[in-house]
Amino acid sequence: MTMNDQPNRPHQPYDGYAPYGQQPQAWPGQGHQGYEDPQAAQQYTQQWQGQTWETQNHQPVPAQAPDPETAILTPQSPPRRPPAPAGADAAGTGYGPATVGGNTRVTDAQRARAEGRSPVIEPGMQPAALTALLGLLLAGAAAVGTYALLVPLVVLQAATAAGWFRLNGMWPARQGIALGFAGALAADAALLVSGRSPAAILGTIGVWVLLALVLQLRSHADPDERMYGLMATVAASALAIVAGGYLAAAADAVTVGAVAVAAAVLARALPLPTPASVVVSLLAAAGAGIVAGPVTGLGTSGALLGAGAAACALIGHRVASYDYPSRFVHFTAGVALPLAAAAPAVYVLGRALA
């Protein structure tokens, strides 16, 4: 009797083993000597007419000790956990909620915007005091001579290059910092060789832009990353080179402008509302220019030079405060950018008011 003659019996897959206590039976057409007739074997081929084995419809096997002889072991997948709520880990890990594509790092600036807070953190009094100290060193060194001015100027240029990269979230970025600082040194050397001509600053900026472009084209990073690195390198180099404008400006203008920037930054760090703080800073810079003007020979026009230098310095101060900077940013870019941004105003106003 074949399997087609038994419609009421459930079909079981043949596992190749006979039940316990029974001897395996030979198929019809198979002799006692192990010889198998091909035609007879084809005649008695099994025909399956039941439902197929659907693995997806089986229920999970209960967690119990299986029989080592009869049980079928199936792998159990871990239960899925529901996604975390939106603010579950906001205070702990610093990561955002679970998403299908994976968790992404939430920066301090993004969290501040999400919470309705400003992403701007001003450097504060300690960086302002360092800026004032560096400004007074520039003012005193300019009164001594050109080569004395180089010492605080080099410090200013190094802090500008390093702080700009960290302000843009690129760290350590040693090659970019070294390239920007090297451009500043090249500009200083060109200024000394050319008799402090401002054309040396413009020429050095042009050469360093081409050099940064060539170096980024040789990089194996992604195109977006290379473009971001190029912009950061060019900006850091340009700011560090522009700070050399103190070397190109007249000594009296450097003295008045550096003192005015020192007064403006200290006044800006006072705990006042932002509009009032800006007005107080400009007035403090103008007052410092009035005091330093007669000493240097600029007279009352030192007030205009001091106010102009302070306006540029406040722009640099604002840039160093943006996007939740760290303490390293505050003590590099926060110290250097106000003085570096004021260098062009010191040069231009110094020549116009001389």
Side-chain angles (χ1 to χ4, degrees):
M1 179 182 296
T2 63
M3 297 186 65
N4 293 333
D5 298 332
Q6 301 177 5
N8 296 327
R9 293 181 60 186
H11 297 284
Q12 298 294 335
Y14 178 68
D15 57 359
Y17 295 93
Y20 293 103
Q22 297 183 8
Q23 298 294 329
Q25 298 180 358
W27 290 94
Q30 183 176 3
H32 295 283
Q33 291 81 11
Y35 176 76
E36 180 179 355
D37 187 3
Q39 295 182 357
Q42 185 177 3
Q43 180 180 359
Y44 293 98
T45 303
Q46 280 186 330
Q47 302 292 331
W48 296 97
Q49 294 183 356
Q51 294 182 352
T52 59
W53 187 271
E54 297 292 341
T55 59
Q56 296 180 355
N57 296 329
H58 281 267
Q59 298 296 328
V61 177
Q64 60 184 3
D67 190 347
E69 295 182 356
T70 62
I72 300 177
L73 298 179
T74 57
Q76 300 294 319
S77 60
R80 298 181 180 178
R81 294 192 300 178
D89 53 359
T93 61
Y95 289 84
T99 59
V100 177
N103 291 341
T104 57
R105 181 75 176 176
V106 178
T107 63
D108 293 335
Q110 292 174 344
R111 180 175 298 163
R113 294 189 184 96
E115 295 176 357
R117 294 183 286 111
S118 174
V120 175
I121 295 181
E122 297 179 355
M125 184 57 70
Q126 291 181 351
L130 293 177
T131 302
L133 176 61
L134 187 56
L136 294 178
L137 290 176
L138 286 171
V144 173
T146 301
Y147 290 97
L149 180 60
L150 280 175
V151 177
L153 178 60
V154 168
V155 175
L156 171 63
Q157 291 168 329
T160 301
W164 184 259
F165 274 93
R166 189 63 185 92
L167 182 63
N168 285 268
M170 303 179 66
W171 188 257
R174 299 182 182 92
Q175 294 180 355
I177 295 173
L179 184 62
F181 183 57
L185 296 180
D188 295 343
L191 284 169
L192 294 177
V193 171
S194 63
R196 301 193 301 176
S197 173
I201 295 178
L202 299 177
T204 306
I205 291 177
V207 171
W208 246 249
V209 168
L210 293 177
L211 182 59
L213 180 60
V214 171
L215 292 178
Q216 290 298 326
L217 289 177
R218 297 183 60 186
S219 174
H220 298 287
D222 295 334
D224 294 340
E225 186 177 352
R226 283 187 293 176
M227 180 60 67
Y228 189 65
L230 175 63
M231 294 296 101
T233 303
V234 170
S237 302
L239 287 171
I241 292 171
V242 164
Y246 288 109
L247 199 61
D252 293 341
V254 173
T255 300
V256 174
V259 171
V261 170
V265 173
L266 287 176
R268 185 68 178 84
L270 296 176
L272 297 173
T274 300
S277 178
V278 171
V279 173
V280 171
S281 299
L282 293 177
L283 292 177
I290 292 176
V291 173
V295 177
T296 59
L298 289 177
T300 56
S301 59
L304 181 59
L305 191 151
C312 295
L314 292 180
I315 294 175
H317 181 273
R318 179 70 175 183
V319 171
S321 307
Y322 184 71
D323 205 7
Y324 258 68
S326 62
R327 282 182 64 86
F328 186 88
V329 174
H330 284 163
F331 283 94
T332 52
V335 172
L337 283 184
L339 287 167
V346 170
Y347 173 78
V348 173
L349 293 176
R351 290 181 62 89
L353 299 176

